[in-house]
Amino acid sequence: MARAPWGCCPWLVLLCACAWGRPKSLDLREDVRNCSISPPYLPVTVVNTTAQLTALRQQMHTQNVAAYIVPDTDAHMSEYIGDYDKRRAWITGFTGSAGIAVVTMGKAALWTDSRYWTQAERQMDCNWELHKEVGTTPVVTWLLTEIPVGGRVGFDPFLFSINSWESYNVALRDSDRELVSITVNLVDLLWGSERPPVPSEPIYALQEAFTGSSWQEKVSGIRSQMKKHREAPTAVLLSALDETAWLFNLRSSDIPYNPFFYSYTLLTDSSIRLFANKSRFSSKTLQYLNSSCTDSMCVQLEDYGQVRDSVQAYTSGAVKIWIGTSYTSYGLYEVIPKEKLIADTYSPVMVTKAVKNSKEQTLLRASHVRDAVAVIRYLVWLEENVPKGTVDEFSGAELLEKFRGEEEFFSGSSFETISASGLNAALAHYSPTKELHRKLSSDEMYLLDSGGQYWDGTTDITRTVHWGTPSAFQKEAYTRVLIGNIDLSRLVFPAATSGRMVEAFARRALWDVGLNYGHGTGHGIGNFLCVHEWPVGFQSGNIAMAKGMFTSIEPGYYQDGEFGIRLEDVALVVEAKTKYPGTYLTFEVVSLVPYDRNLIDVSLLSPEQLQYLNRYYQTIREKVGPELQRRQLLKEFSWLQRHTEPLASRAAPTASLAPLMTVSALTILSWSV
């Protein structure tokens, strides 16, 4: 089927240009649907939801609720959700990853952010109102106008975090409406045979070579923390999928991009209960878990669906359950008596796995060497083929995954690749599809944000390149982003400093000239776990930095409608060597792909920044060069040598690049990302 030189994503048409030029000014308040005429005008991509809504309202009548809330998550508050849990998509027709739906007896409405407005209009029929705002407040405001005083609002407690429940409950209660927990999901009752099947792939144990500690050592460590806790918990309840996967060194494939399986764990001082589908465990894995015995170091398997009843039964005794509120659903929280609850933001498992031991650090470093080989192979290939006009964003992303797939221990991508050319790169989370993509050109910047899952580690790296002649502004913006990356990476700061307190170092070179970026500066990363691993990072909700943590460092700049820049590396928090005694930390970058020399304005770099960059390039040569030679990738080795040649200063730094602010000065900042 013929199409324009690049496919313009229909739900991004307001933000991207079509092949024949920039779009005309469009009013974001106007809906592409016209539901006021008969018959209504609807895009061909719309999904008819009349039958679903009729059936749902019948269930609502049976439950005596005036409204029903359908969120976009699963029972574990996962970042990515499996097809089995995409209830909101099924009931609305809207497949975007963010949005909350509410159905009353007379209306249906969806709330989502600006990334998805046009997509929602093109997928939802006239049964649905689109609200172009997000958060609890606008949803509650709408509910108060649509349901009478005394009305009941139903929800599935397993799909609400504790904080979400509190927000809705307080707002509705104060307005004389009632939030009602319904443990049987009403959408599930209707979905029937159309619903994707429950995942059934095997749940397997990682080989010992790819684990930092045995599961027995991890269990003993958490129990030790329980004994030392001032409130003396008798159990820890784990709800996040990566918690159970980490604790037992188990993996599977229930969730896109994450090697997890649906599960909960109730770890007590005398027993271990793992809630999952027992049929998915081989006899070898059952033996690995000591599942045939019942003492304190034997894992008792129970049915996944029994977790609520089992937790409730456990609370009948003289017990105290320790939870992390960030990932525990209200469905479990509501059955634990508050006098038997110990609630922290993050569970002890979430905090413990954030700090990698020496073996885990070695494993993650090794995965980044192999990942660098794949990315370098791709960049070399692009350099040869983009000028031919035969490469597009989607085919490029597919080839990169092929290169990664040829690396040892590869187990899939760690997230959907962001392969964005020209103005598409100005959309921070744009991803191409087979049908909708743009061709790569030597006249445009190209942003590549991608990562891999390997048995020994998870990777995430972003590079921005230009094969032609970039503008002076593009070079300045790129270099200032690079300076931000360098300044944060080389920073020395006191131990136990919050990432939020040093985050501004990544922005300062941009701030100096009135530029900025609108996303976070970094996130934690796991060992064959989450690519976005909480609670590490530079946001207000993250825990303090500690030796052994891995985080991304990823400043950027986005010129709306023209180009985007992001430079992302993964770095290990290590002890800093200082002139005087003290406990200070810094970062060791483990991503090993050179930046684009074509975009670096060396005159903007200070001598210290230039020295750091050349030292980093020498590290890349030492770690990746031998691997390229060993595998006879001589063309790639030659490319690497050229792109890591030491850079020489061409002029003094600009006056705007004053000495860096001290960490103590940053403590007065209130920047929040």
Side-chain angles (χ1 to χ4, degrees), residues 11-12 15 28 112-118 132-134:
W11 28 88
L12 294 175
L15 299 173
L28 288 177
T112 191
D113 64 69
S114 59
R115 293 174 297 165
Y116 299 109
W117 291 345
T118 307
K132 298 177 179 181
E133 50 191 342
V134 294

Side-chain angles (χ1 to χ4, degrees), residues 426-437:
L427 306 169
H429 298 100
Y430 165 87
S431 289
T433 66
K434 186 176 182 179
E435 297 78 19
L436 304 163
H437 50 256

